[in-house]
Amino acid sequence: MFPRIGVPGHGELRGLELGDRGPLRQRLTSLVADGTKTATAGRLSEYDDEGEELEHVGERLVLLDDDDRPAGTVVVTAVEIVPFTEVPWAFADAEGEGFTDIDDWRTQHRRFWLRTEGVVVPDDEPIVLIRLRYEP
């Protein structure tokens, strides 16, 4: 399950952990905090595996740092599900990670999911595209 974090004035919110622990999470959290990263993607099957609902527009999430401490809040501004090979470049670019083109985005995401989850992502894998706005 996604972690739940108590936030004064907001009750309990779901936590948002980007990437995996270590340098990648530290970098991604910083990119969100400085406004560079305004989007993130996940495999729909991860939600099913975790028994979690999709994020929804207007939902507030606690951005967690590498030590699972709150690093701010994000507000979900859009959610869409598309097959892996139909993720548009505009979305990939909004992830703010310096991908050179959509093929680079696909390659890097496939490598990440293979490394962290042992999953080979097929072209038709449903991907959840989340747009977000950081609030310190």
Side-chain angles (χ1 to χ4, degrees), residues 62-72:
V62 177
L63 180 63
L64 298 174
D65 70 11
D66 202 38
D67 296 314
D68 292 330
R69 292 183 307 227

Side-chain angles (χ1 to χ4, degrees), residues 89-129:
W89 169 242
F91 178 86
D93 192 38
E95 284 204 270
E97 297 175 45
F99 303 112
T100 57
D101 57 29
I102 194 63
D103 290 329
D104 183 37
W105 181 91
R106 289 181 185 133
T107 298
Q108 295 301 321
H109 279 72
R110 280 188 161 129
R111 282 183 188 156
F112 173 78
W113 286 317
L114 182 60
R115 178 177 60 82
T116 61
E117 299 173 26
V119 173
V120 175
V121 177
D123 289 349
D124 63 348
E125 172 100 19
I127 303 298
V128 180
L129 308 181

